């Protein structure tokens, strides 16, 4: 206890400084990856498992394999508190670290991603905003330095509508239905709106948009509107405390939880804690399994925790957001490995890692080799398509754990891709970017 | 034509809707009132300390978080509820002692802004300390308070909201009696008026400050329990303080009843604004609308609804 108190005093002092980071010495043959994390602040419950997942996967790669083809992965955390300004400061602080500078950056915040996009091409540090950030970045011809595979908010929204259609008995049954989108009133939360509006025109459902201000601690007005409108389905783009309160409020107004579907940032273990039994039946989208019994988990348990399950558990091992970070870290490692195939087994520069990201081809066979068969879907990135296929699956909370309850659902590409290309073209025109020919 | 349509949407349609669906409108009002009580619980902590020491305690939100974190943390370590509650109160008294011993004691008779800045520093200290000791994960808080929803005449009510409102009412009654009818209460008011004058007549300023910070801590604990049961105990509880500010502006910084009435007005006002006028501007207006409402009051009563009128000789 005394140790905790002393640590607490140190922590408090560190918290007062605003930005903190753990410093790592980087040798010449080591691949440096900056880690923008949020272990403190209102979004810490979501940020902690993510940060732990990244850290554990990189550590496992080092301990099990001696690094990526012998090149050790080094990383340094910088605390952003999910604050865009702090996130940019962290990026600036870390981008030149390591013998070759930052290999790539995972901002883990749509707001930070938006700010880093113009910097990426100047600094030659590729951005991997996995399933978040600017959806238009899926068009690699315009966004050479930004990657958002395996799927985007727009693809997710369209796949959600396709899921609703499946549940209702076909696309024709969508006509006349009411679908509400409860969203975080931020760049992130608003991302799905254009797609949902376009699909409302196509399929004839009524779309109700309900914004919730940061942080989302109080949502009674929102859920009173849900109670009045009685939507057939509710889709949520929430984050942090907004998710927990929303699930609790939905249960409180007795909304049918199996018709309440969160996006993939609204379906973590923390999100269902306060509502307890009331959350039973709540669903969310995801693009990986919520289970923790894959070979990759066994390797992390063995090589990072030495089999100490309680220690692993206290580090969020196997939680939904932890698993997501493991997938994200795996993409980064495999992209570096791909780039090493072209540039040699050494520490690579950001521009070289960018090539690796753009030529990443994760097949089922490769996923099996790295202990992730069935954990997530294969990915094949190209110059033109930085998003790839974009399918999602739906998971459901049964009161004690998340279970997959759907097949993989493809997005409605014929609607989403033209929207992506149009938005990318507008961005290119606005920023005087000449699109690459792919 | 567009202007007429706009005027209709702003000045007519919302009222027509209220009259056309009276049950739903009643539900909005009740929901606002119940939410308002929750805001009042947080605002009370500010009022207590301001009333007794003239300090605007920016750290009140952090104290709400710290109190709830300590309670739930002790329960996670196997403490029964009653023991965790008592232990948490002891911890809060210790915190009050530390604040007086290491911060306030050195700031007697300093400018208000100095004291205010000190509480900003205290906010970061308490937040960092609490999170390092108890962690940053979401912690469920279940004290066995019922939380089922039920309908009465078409109105949907929730047992937990009613329990919270009842708790708030009892707390206010107790505090009102404490301030008006006890020796300590009178001493607290004397200290608020003038530190040096209070000391000159024999009021032990340091003890008074410890008492008032302890009581504010206790009020923070009640607020933390109510809000924590809704969202889980997590860092965002400390941001609840932002919801209390318009309540304080409206109700007055020195009035316990003002905190309650202010909370109720803000609670109802923001719900009505969000539901009937929010859709016109894309929604999510309740946070800033509360401040607009409070500022509108400021124009007419700078001291708030129940605040003491400040007359200074120049």
């Amino acid at each position: 206890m005394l140790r905790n108190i002393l640590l607490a005093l140190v922590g408090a002092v560190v918290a007062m400084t605003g930005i903190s980071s753990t410093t790592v010495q980087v040798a010449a043959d080591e691949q440096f990856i900056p880690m923008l994390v949020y272990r403190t602040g209102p979004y810490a419950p979501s940020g902690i498992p993510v940060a732990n997942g990244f850290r554990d996967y990189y550590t496992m790669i080092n301990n099990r394999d001696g690094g990526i083809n012998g090149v050790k992965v080094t990383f340094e955390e910088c605390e952003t508190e999910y604050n865009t300004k702090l996130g940019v400061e962290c990026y600036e602080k870390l981008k030149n670290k390591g013998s070759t500078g930052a290999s790539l950056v995972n901002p883990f915040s749509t707001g930070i991603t938006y700010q880093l996009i113009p910097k990426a091409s100047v600094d030659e540090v590729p951005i991997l905003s996995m399933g978040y950030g600017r959806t238009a970045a899926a068009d690699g011809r315009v966004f050479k330095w930004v990657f958002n595979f395996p799927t985007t908010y727009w693809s997710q929204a369209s796949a959600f509508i396709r899921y609703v259609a499946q549940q209702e008995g076909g696309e024709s049954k969508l006509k006349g239905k009411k679908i509400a989108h409860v969203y975080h009133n931020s760049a992130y939360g608003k991302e799905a709106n254009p797609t949902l509006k376009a699909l409302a025109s196509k399929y004839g459902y009524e779309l109700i948009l309900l914004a919730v201000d940061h942080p989302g601690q109080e949502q009674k007005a929102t859920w009173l509107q849900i109670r009045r409108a009685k939507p057939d389905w509710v889709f949520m783009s929430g984050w942090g405390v907004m998710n927990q309160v929303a699930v609790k409020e939905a249960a409180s107004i007795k909304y049918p939880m199996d018709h309440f579907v969160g996006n993939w940032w609204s379906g973590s273990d923390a999100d269902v804690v306060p509502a307890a039994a009331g959350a039973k039946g709540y669903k969310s989208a995801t693009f990986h399994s919520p289970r923790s019994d894959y070979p990759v988990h066994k390797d992390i348990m063995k090589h990072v925790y030495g089999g100490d399950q309680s220690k692993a558990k206290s580090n969020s091992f196997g939680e939904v957001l932890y698993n997501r970070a493991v997938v994200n870290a795996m993409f980064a490692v495999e992209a570096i490995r791909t780039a090493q195939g072209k540039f040699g087994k050494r520490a690579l520069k950001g521009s070289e890692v960018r090539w690796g990201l753009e030529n990443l081809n994760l097949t089922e066979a490769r996923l099996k080799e790295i202990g992730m068969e069935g954990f997530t879907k294969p990915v094949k990135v190209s110059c033109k398509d930085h998003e790839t296929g974009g399918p999602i699956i739906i998971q459901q909370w049964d009161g004690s754990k998340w279970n997959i309850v759907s097949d993989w659902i493809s997005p409605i590409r014929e609607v989403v891709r033209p929207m992506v290309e149009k938005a990318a073209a507008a961005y290119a025109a606005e920023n005087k970017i000449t699109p690459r020919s792919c | 034509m567009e202007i007429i349509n706009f005027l209709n949407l702003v000045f007519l349609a919302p009222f027509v809707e209220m009259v056309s669906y009276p049950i739903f409108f009643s539900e909005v009002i009740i929901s606002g009132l119940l939410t308002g009580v929750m805001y009042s619980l947080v605002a009370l902590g500010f009022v207590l300390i301001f009333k007794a020491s003239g300090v605007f305690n920016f750290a009140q939100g952090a104290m709400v978080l710290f109190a709830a974190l300590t309670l739930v943390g002790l329960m996670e370590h196997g403490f029964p509820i009653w023991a965790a509650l008592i232990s948490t109160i002891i911890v809060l008294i210790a915190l009050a002692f530390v604040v007086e011993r290491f911060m306030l004691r050195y700031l007697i008779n300093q400018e208000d802004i100095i004291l205010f800045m000190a509480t900003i520093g205290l906010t970061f200290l308490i937040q960092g300390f609490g999170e390092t000791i108890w962690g940053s994960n979401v912690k469920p808080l279940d004290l066995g308070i019922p939380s089922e929803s039920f309908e009465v005449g078409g109105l949907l009510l929730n047992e937990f909201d009613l329990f919270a409102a009842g708790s708030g009412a009892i707390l206010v009654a107790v505090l009102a009696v404490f301030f008006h009818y006890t020796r300590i209460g009178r001493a607290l008011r004397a200290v608020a008026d003038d530190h040096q004058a209070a000391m000159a007549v024999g009021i032990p300023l340091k003890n008074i400050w410890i008492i008032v910070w302890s009581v504010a801590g206790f009020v923070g604990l009640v607020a933390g329990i109510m809000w924590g049961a809704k969202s889980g105990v997590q860092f965002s509880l400390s941001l609840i303080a932002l919801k209390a500010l318009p309540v304080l502006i409206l109700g007055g910084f020195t009035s316990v009843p003002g905190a309650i009435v202010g909370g109720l007005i803000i609670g109802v006002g923001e719900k009505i604004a969000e539901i009937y006028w929010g859709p016109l501007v894309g929604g999510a207006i309740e946070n800033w609308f509360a401040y607009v409402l409070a500022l509108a009051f400021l124009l007419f009563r700078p001291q708030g609804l129940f605040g003491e009128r400040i007359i200074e000789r120049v």
Side-chain angles (χ1 to χ4, degrees):
Chain A
M1 194 64 173
L2 181 64
R3 183 173 166 270
N4 276 353
I5 289 170
L6 288 172
L7 276 173
L9 281 170
V10 173
V13 171
V14 167
M16 289 169 71
T17 62
I19 300 178
S20 63
S21 63
T22 50
T23 306
V24 175
Q25 297 299 319
V26 183
D29 57 346
E30 292 178 345
Q31 191 75 50
F32 177 69
I33 301 177
M35 277 176 55
L36 276 52
V37 302
Y38 34 105
R39 292 182 181 275
T40 65
Y43 298 97
S46 304
I48 291 170
V50 169
N52 290 345
F54 273 107
R55 180 198 62 198
D56 286 359
Y57 190 78
Y58 294 145
T59 306
M60 185 272 285
I61 289 292
N62 286 339
N63 293 353
R64 186 191 66 186
D65 306 339
I68 308 167
N69 290 321
V71 181
K72 284 234 177 201
V73 177
T74 54
F75 48 89
E76 181 171 331
E77 289 191 3
C78 185
E79 178 65 42
T80 72
E81 296 180 15
Y82 196 63
N83 177 314
T84 299
K85 183 171 157 284
L86 289 179
V88 173
E89 286 176 19
C90 280
Y91 167 80
E92 292 293 341
K93 181 181 166 192
L94 297 178
K95 70 181 183 187
N96 293 321
K97 292 226 167 174
S99 59
T100 54
S103 315
L104 77 168
V105 61
N106 305 282
F108 242 88
S109 151
T110 291
I112 299 172
T113 304
Y114 267 66
Q115 295 301 315
L116 297 189
I117 285 173
K119 294 174 179 287
S121 55
V122 178
D123 298 333
E124 299 203 333
V125 176
I127 297 169
L128 175 50
S129 54
M130 183 195 72
Y132 60 90
R134 189 169 209 131
T135 299
D139 189 339
R141 294 170 303 180
V142 174
F143 294 91
K144 181 181 174 184
W145 291 87
V146 190
F147 298 82
N148 50 13
F149 58 83
T151 180
T152 63
Y153 292 132
W154 293 2
S155 289
Q156 174 181 229
S158 71
F160 161 71
I161 294 300
R162 184 163 267 170
Y163 174 70
V164 171
Q166 288 173 3
Q167 297 296 302
E168 295 288 350
E171 289 177 352
S172 61
K173 299 287 173 58
L174 288 173
K175 192 171 178 61
K177 294 280 183 230
K178 283 185 187 175
I179 298 176
H181 182 213
V182 176
Y183 63 96
H184 194 269
N185 195 26
S186 62
Y188 146 66
K190 293 172 185 170
E191 274 284 326
N193 286 346
T195 309
L196 292 171
K197 284 178 189 168
L199 293 172
S201 301
K202 180 179 168 76
Y203 293 117
Y205 61 80
E206 181 187 343
L207 177 64
I208 303 163
L209 297 175
L210 297 169
V212 175
D213 255 341
H214 162 86
Q217 190 93 38
E218 168 53 36
Q219 297 177 33
K220 279 226 178 292
T222 303
W223 290 92
L224 278 169
Q225 291 177 86
I226 295 279
R227 182 167 147 72
R228 176 176 60 173
K230 294 186 173 55
D232 299 286
W233 290 83
V234 174
F235 182 58
M236 178 167 70
S237 300
W239 193 223
V241 69
M242 175 183 158
N243 293 338
Q244 290 108 46
V245 174
V247 173
K248 185 124 184 171
E249 290 289 354
S252 178
I253 66 162
K254 300 187 173 175
Y255 187 81
M257 297 304 278
D258 60 349
H259 280 54
F260 182 17
V261 184
N263 73 4
W264 49 62
W265 302 121
S266 305
S268 72
D269 298 74
D271 294 337
V272 287
V273 163
K280 195 172 175 182
Y282 171 64
K283 294 174 178 173
S284 92
T286 182
F287 48 83
H288 56 80
S289 168
R291 287 174 18 217
S292 58
D293 55 356
Y294 293 91
V296 67
H297 290 99
K298 289 174 183 144
D299 280 352
I300 291 173
M301 182 63 77
K302 180 180 174 185
H303 295 284
V304 178
Y305 292 104
D308 187 342
Q309 299 218 0
S310 66
K311 188 179 175 192
K313 186 82 181 161
S314 69
N315 278 280
S316 347
F317 177 84
E319 291 180 11
V320 169
L321 289 177
Y322 177 96
N323 282 354
R324 190 155 307 154
V326 166
V327 171
N328 196 149
M330 175 273 286
F331 284 150
V333 167
E334 291 306 306
I336 292 167
R337 202 186 301 277
T338 301
Q340 284 179 341
K342 178 178 171 70
F343 299 105
K345 293 174 183 173
R346 56 173 173 78
L348 302 174
K349 293 184 291 186
S351 56
E352 293 165 332
V353 174
R354 195 209 69 79
W355 186 92
L357 284 161
E358 197 156 88
N359 290 276
L360 183 64
N361 184 12
L362 266 176
T363 60
E364 285 283 11
R366 180 60 190 155
L367 285 174
K368 187 175 183 180
E369 281 172 16
I370 58 178
M372 292 199 188
E373 186 186 27
F375 186 44
T376 188
K377 289 285 275 184
V379 160
K380 188 175 190 314
V381 190
S382 68
C383 166
K384 187 177 179 182
D385 186 3
H386 283 190
E387 176 192 12
T388 74
I392 64 163
I393 40 175
I394 301 294
Q395 59 180 8
Q396 185 172 35
W397 182 251
D398 70 2
S400 60
K401 65 181 189 309
W402 290 100
N403 301 298
I404 296 297
V405 292
S406 78
D407 294 327
W408 286 92
I409 307 162
S410 297
I412 306 172
R413 291 275 284 184
E414 66 272 22
V415 172
V416 174
R417 186 65 196 183
M419 287 174 65
V420 165
E421 292 184 2
K422 188 179 170 191
Y427 181 88
E430 191 180 323
N431 293 278
K432 298 182 174 54
I433 297 169
T434 305
R436 295 185 290 166
S437 60
C438 293
Chain B
M1 198 62 186
E2 279 184 5
I3 292 175
I4 293 172
N5 190 35
F6 174 76
L7 293 174
N8 173 48
L9 285 173
V10 174
F11 295 109
L12 188 62
F15 296 103
V16 170
E17 201 178 341
M18 288 176 203
V19 175
S20 305
Y21 301 98
I23 292 179
F24 179 72
F25 181 59
S26 306
E27 210 164 86
V28 173
I29 299 285
I30 291 170
S31 171
L33 290 171
L34 295 173
T35 306
V37 173
M38 299 282 277
Y39 293 160
S40 299
L41 280 176
V42 184
L44 271 177
F46 285 95
V47 169
L48 287 174
I49 291 180
F50 192 84
K51 201 172 161 67
S53 59
V55 178
F56 180 79
N57 178 25
F58 192 79
Q60 186 63 30
M63 284 169 66
V64 170
L65 169 68
F66 182 70
L69 271 178
T70 305
L71 176 70
V72 79
L74 291 171
M75 287 170 68
E76 280 183 351
H77 279 77
F79 281 54
I81 291 174
W82 62 269
L85 276 169
I86 292 170
S87 303
T88 303
I89 291 169
I90 292 170
V91 169
L92 293 170
I93 292 170
L95 176 67
F97 177 82
V98 170
V99 168
E100 190 282 321
R101 179 67 185 81
F102 296 103
M103 191 178 97
L104 297 176
R105 183 175 291 194
Y106 303 102
L107 299 175
I108 292 174
N109 275 327
Q110 294 293 322
E111 293 288 330
D112 291 346
I113 190 68
I114 304 289
L115 288 156
F116 174 66
M117 296 297 281
T119 64
I120 292 178
L122 185 65
T123 303
F124 291 112
L125 193 72
I126 293 176
Q127 283 173 350
F129 187 74
E131 281 195 294
T132 311
I133 290 269
W134 303 115
S136 301
N137 289 321
V138 181
K139 295 175 171 55
L141 179 56
D142 184 9
L143 297 181
I145 302 169
S147 59
E148 282 295 307
S149 296
F150 58 95
E151 285 201 29
V152 180
L155 293 173
L156 187 73
L157 298 171
N158 185 278
E159 292 172 337
F160 179 84
D161 291 340
L162 295 174
F163 180 88
S167 304
I170 292 169
L171 194 62
V172 171
V174 169
L175 289 172
V177 169
F178 177 72
F179 267 98
H180 284 92
Y181 301 107
T182 66
R183 267 176 77 87
I184 294 176
R186 281 195 292 276
L188 289 173
R189 284 188 286 158
V191 170
D193 282 345
D194 191 314
H195 297 172
Q196 279 189 324
M199 289 170 78
V201 296
I203 294 173
L205 185 62
K206 291 164 188 166
N207 293 353
I208 291 295
W209 272 350
I210 291 174
I211 290 169
V212 80
W213 278 74
S214 300
V215 175
F218 175 72
V219 172
L221 174 61
V222 175
I225 288 171
M226 296 307 164
W227 282 99
K230 280 164 70 87
S231 62
V233 175
Q234 54 179 305
F235 181 91
S236 59
L237 280 183
S238 64
L239 303 179
I240 292 294
L242 297 176
K243 301 295 281 191
L245 289 180
V247 174
L248 292 165
I249 294 169
L250 202 144
F253 281 75
T254 54
S255 169
V256 171
I260 300 302
V261 176
L264 297 179
I265 292 173
I266 293 290
V268 172
E270 69 176 21
K271 296 290 170 284
I272 289 177
E274 178 69 47
I275 290 171
Y276 294 102
W277 280 274
L280 297 177
V281 290
I285 68 169
E286 61 181 325
N287 271 358
W288 59 259
F289 180 81
Y291 284 89
V292 170
L293 195 61
L295 289 172
F297 266 82
L298 266 188
L299 289 176
F300 301 100
R301 282 188 65 85
Q303 69 273 36
L305 276 177
F306 297 85
E308 292 160 11
R309 194 166 184 181
I310 301 164
I311 301 170
E312 287 186 2
R313 189 170 296 168
V314 291

